[in-house]
Amino acid sequence: MSDILIAYFSMKGQTIGPGMKIINVEKGNTAYVAEFIKDVVGGDLYEIKTKKKYSPDHMKLIHEAKDEIERGERPELIELPESIARYDTVFLGYPNWWATLPMPVVSFLEHYDWTGKRVIAFCTSEGSGFSHSVDDIKKHCKGANVEKGIHIIGSTAAAAREQVTAWAKKIIL
């Protein structure tokens, strides 16, 4: 079996829940999906974390995210893996922010050489799916085989173990 990394960015605190209402969560939606994938495929789990602290207020956070994207900002990350050379397959998870990747994910992607890697995207959102995020991953992962994986409705992520497990079993074969 190839070496696998499950790298993900996830936000806890305020988020959009069922019925499009703002709720507080102790674990981010994408974190649940990443953990479910790890339970099936094994590998190493790595959470993309920023030095910058985002607003705990969801409505302010989404505007911060939009500003980062518009400015092309690359938030500084903490505790980056020294290398990803030993990994053949990287599952890459993120919430869909403004139809693309959160900029901390871009910071992570630009740090490494992706030549020859298999990159499998998974994302959470309340209905916008992948939008153009997979195409954006391809721009930052030159030389990789980038695949669209699974989209999970964020407010259902904590209960999506069966769905993620079935998908992960198929994708890793």
Side-chain angles (χ1 to χ4, degrees):
M1 181 183 236
S2 65
D3 281 329
I4 296 171
L5 175 66
I6 301 110
Y8 70 96
F9 177 72
S10 193
M11 296 294 294
K12 56 186 173 188
Q14 283 191 356
T15 192
I16 298 174
M20 300 303 287
K21 293 182 181 171
I22 300 289
I23 61 169
N24 282 300
V25 293
E26 291 188 31
K27 182 187 289 189
N29 297 326
T30 309
Y32 282 107
V33 180
E35 290 170 3
F36 298 156
I37 292 169
K38 181 179 178 9
D39 289 346
V40 175
V41 304
D44 296 328
L45 199 60
Y46 167 71
E47 182 177 2
I48 299 167
K49 296 180 185 177
T50 61
K51 288 188 177 183
K52 168 186 178 176
K53 299 295 179 206
Y54 289 93
S55 176
D57 179 291
H58 184 74
M59 298 313 292
K60 289 180 182 174
L61 167 67
I62 62 174
H63 292 291
E64 283 179 68
K66 185 177 185 182
D67 289 345
E68 275 184 356
I69 292 166
E70 288 175 349
R71 289 192 307 267
E73 213 172 288
R74 304 299 195 266
E76 190 174 350
L77 305 181
I78 54 177
E79 298 180 45
L80 276 164
E82 186 175 313
S83 170
I84 62 164
R86 74 180 187 96
Y87 299 108
D88 301 315
T89 301
V90 178
F91 287 85
L92 181 67
Y94 50 91
N96 180 330
W97 281 5
W98 297 99
T100 192
L101 305 166
M103 294 311 285
V105 175
V106 174
S107 294
F108 172 75
L109 294 176
E110 290 181 344
H111 194 76
Y112 300 104
D113 177 5
W114 294 94
T115 305
K117 306 284 184 208
R118 180 182 186 202
V119 178
I120 306 164
F122 65 96
C123 80
T124 57
S125 74
E126 285 308 304
S128 52
F130 284 98
S131 301
H132 55 79
S133 65
V134 175
D135 289 335
D136 293 338
I137 292 169
K138 290 175 183 177
K139 292 175 190 171
H140 298 289
C141 292
K142 299 289 186 212
N145 175 21
V146 179
E147 304 171 26
K148 182 187 286 187
I150 191 169
H151 167 260
I152 299 292
I153 299 293
S155 58
T156 69
R161 180 180 292 277
E162 280 186 36
Q163 180 184 3
V164 173
T165 296
W167 166 79
K169 283 179 179 178
K170 288 179 190 173
I171 198 83
I172 204 60
L173 297 176

